[in-house]
């Protein structure tokens, strides 16, 4: 056994003197001393040849030897993890891997712009559920069950429970806001809406709207016109012209649709404006007294205006996108054209 102990001593000296210039040499050390066929294991195998009464004493020697080798290995490893050491291994002049930068979706860009313009006028953002009940989407908005205007909006009903539907317009959020808040109310409601339409370049079964609602004392049609005029000038520039046409919506009285001069052809006539020089961008009007009454808001005390616009339409005019399907196809060739536009 004495011979064995001497041998271990010699190994220890060898280990102490071991120097590793590279990580490869550190790995060589591990294999030679600590690997499954390494010296430490081999020496441990000698235990069986040691007489029983000396096993304890030899066990201690062996343990110490193992620890000694392990500590050395750790020291060698650390010395190769220091920045100075790793610098030798890495060629900093090599070109890096390019990082693919995502872009915002054009509809998000335009929605954010719409929201930011109305925020500057003091409108807060309100949201509501996409799965709605009949009351919030239709009833509260002055569209009772047999109202013919319901046919204007082909509704998706939820098959498990036909009392539920996918909202057909963001006007449902008006109902949700009036339910919980009292005047003054000044909100815009951006969101996705659904209609049972055949998908084509001009129609889709889902699209996006921004609804607006302003209720207070003395809110007039002049306020509505000026607010929307400010909005289009901020959105499209000072040259844009607007016109209001009388219209009909069950939830407003009087109602008006607003057109802006066609930005694609400058008003000369093109496919987008159907050669009229004007493009419709939103519906609006003074909130119908019945809608106010539905939420216990006294129509003799308060008045309000509301409007609803399609985000796809505004985006089409801003970025000249002529096919609605492009918005949901996720084709990167389309999407990356909006790089750098915030
Ligand atoms: N909800 C209408 C639609 O989806 C848009 C609309 C028109 C909203 C007039 C309004 C409004 O708030 O006053 O076609």
């Amino acid at each position: 056994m004495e011979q064995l102990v001497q041998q271990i001593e010699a190994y220890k000296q060898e280990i102490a003197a071991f120097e590793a210039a590279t990580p490869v040499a550190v790995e060589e050390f591990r294999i030679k001393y600590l690997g499954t066929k390494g010296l430490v294991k081999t020496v441990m195998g000698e235990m069986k040849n040691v007489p029983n009464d000396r096993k304890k004493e030899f066990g201690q020697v062996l343990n110490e030897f193992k620890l000694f080798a392990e500590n050395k290995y750790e020291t060698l490893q650390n010395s190769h993890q220091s920045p100075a050491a790793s610098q030798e291994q890495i060629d900093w002049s090599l070109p890096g891997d390019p990082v693919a930068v995502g872009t915002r979706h054009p509809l998000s860009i335009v929605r954010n712009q719409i929201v930011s313009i109305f925020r500057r006028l003091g409108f807060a953002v309100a949201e509501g559920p996409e799965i709605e009940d009949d009351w919030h989407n239709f009833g509260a908005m002055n569209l009772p069950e047999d109202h013919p205007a319901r046919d204007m909006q082909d509704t998706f009903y939820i098959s498990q429970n036909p009392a539920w539907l996918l909202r057909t317009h963001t006007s449902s959020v008006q109902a949700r806001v009036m339910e919980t808040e009292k005047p003054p109310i000044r909100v815009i409601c951006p969101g996705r809406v659904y209609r049972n339409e055949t998908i084509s370049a001009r129609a889709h079964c889902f699209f996006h709207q921004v609804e607006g609602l302003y209720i207070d004392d003395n809110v007039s049609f002049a306020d509505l016109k000026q607010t929307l005029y400010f909005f289009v000038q901020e959105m499209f520039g000072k040259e844009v012209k607007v016109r209001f046409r009388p219209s009909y919506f069950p939830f407003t009285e009087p109602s008006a649709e607003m057109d802006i001069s066609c930005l694609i052809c400058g008003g000369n006539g093109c496919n987008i404006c159907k050669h009229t020089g004007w493009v419709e961008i939103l519906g609006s009007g003074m909130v119908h007294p019945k809608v106010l009454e539905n939420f216990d808001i006294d129509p003799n005390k308060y008045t309000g205006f509301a409007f609803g616009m399609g985000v796809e339409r505004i985006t089409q005019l801003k970025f000249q996108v002529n096919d609605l399907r492009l918005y949901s196809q996720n084709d990167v060739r389309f999407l990356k054209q909006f790089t750098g536009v915030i």
Side-chain angles (χ1 to χ4, degrees), residues 153 168-171 174 195 209 211-212 249 251-252 283-285 306-309:
Q153 304 185 349
T168 58
H169 54 184
T170 42
S171 304
Q174 280 192 32
R195 289 186 200 175
Q209 291 186 329
E211 188 82 11
F249 298 101
F251 27 89
T252 44
S284 63
F307 57 87
M309 67 180 89

Side-chain angles (χ1 to χ4, degrees), residues 3 77 145 163 178 204 269 278 281 285:
Q3 213 186 337
Q77 260 187 328
E145 232 158 69
M178 284 189 268
H204 210 292
W278 294 96
I281 62 159

Side-chain angles (χ1 to χ4, degrees), residues 50-51 68 134 162 176 244 279 289:
V50 173
F68 189 81
D134 199 272
R176 298 233 161 234
F244 283 83
V279 188

Side-chain angles (χ1 to χ4, degrees), residues 64-303:
E64 239 173 70
F65 177 51
K66 185 169 171 242
L67 269 180
F68 189 81
E70 281 172 353
N71 285 342
K72 175 73 182 191
Y73 177 56
E74 206 176 288
T75 317
L76 290 174
Q77 260 187 328
N78 287 343
S79 74
H80 283 277
Q81 267 159 15
S82 71
S86 54
Q87 229 156 11
E88 289 164 27
Q89 308 298 317
I90 297 170
D91 181 353
W92 294 106
S93 68
L94 284 173
D97 295 327
V99 178
V101 180
T103 58
R104 241 184 249 291
H105 194 282
L107 292 175
S108 300
I109 295 170
V110 169
R111 184 207 48 220
N112 291 349
Q113 285 176 347
I114 298 172
V115 167
S116 105
I117 294 169
F118 282 103
R119 266 188 193 279
R120 276 186 272 140
L121 292 174
F123 284 77
V125 173
E127 283 181 5
E130 291 182 12
I131 296 179
E132 262 300 1
D133 51 52
D134 199 272
W135 168 250
H136 291 95
N137 195 78
F138 291 126
M141 288 290 108
N142 198 29
L143 279 128
E145 232 158 69
D146 50 359
H147 199 290
R150 283 194 183 205
D151 299 341
M152 281 162 38
Q153 304 185 349
D154 298 307
T155 311
F156 282 119
Y157 287 90
I158 307 284
S159 49
Q160 286 92 330
N161 185 349
W164 289 343
L165 48 87
L166 295 178
R167 68 179 177 198
T168 58
H169 54 184
T170 42
S171 304
S172 59
V173 188
Q174 280 192 32
R176 298 233 161 234
V177 171
M178 284 189 268
E179 210 165 52
T180 51
E181 285 174 38
K182 291 293 148 227
I185 292 173
R186 194 159 31 170
V187 290
I188 47 164
C189 325
R192 183 177 279 191
V193 301
Y194 302 82
R195 289 186 200 175
N196 193 355
E197 303 253 10
T198 310
I199 297 171
S200 70
R202 300 173 142 267
H204 210 292
C205 57
F206 64 78
F207 53 98
H208 301 79
Q209 291 186 329
V210 175
E211 188 82 11
L213 177 68
Y214 179 24
I215 304 174
D216 204 346
D217 320 307
N218 296 322
V219 176
S220 70
F221 201 87
D223 296 320
L224 161 70
K225 281 178 87 170
Q226 194 52 41
T227 303
L228 295 177
Y229 188 45
F230 174 82
F231 163 70
V232 289
Q233 288 204 322
E234 290 295 299
M235 195 73 199
F236 297 110
K238 299 281 179 236
E239 290 77 43
V240 69
K241 295 195 221 28
V242 300
R243 74 175 186 191
F244 283 83
R245 275 180 295 103
S247 184
Y248 170 76
F249 298 101
F251 27 89
T252 44
E253 181 58 37
S255 305
E257 278 172 319
M258 190 174 93
D259 298 342
I260 60 169
S261 47
C262 182
L263 299 156
I264 312 286
C265 62
N268 296 327
C270 68
N271 280 344
I272 303 290
C273 61
K274 298 190 195 114
H275 302 281
T276 63
W278 294 96
V279 188
E280 182 213 317
I281 62 159
L282 56 83
S284 63
M286 300 306 291
V287 180
H288 198 292
K290 275 214 182 124
V291 174
L292 296 176
E293 275 166 7
N294 282 338
F295 298 97
D296 293 327
I297 298 172
D298 181 357
N300 295 316
K301 186 155 186 271
Y302 293 107
T303 49

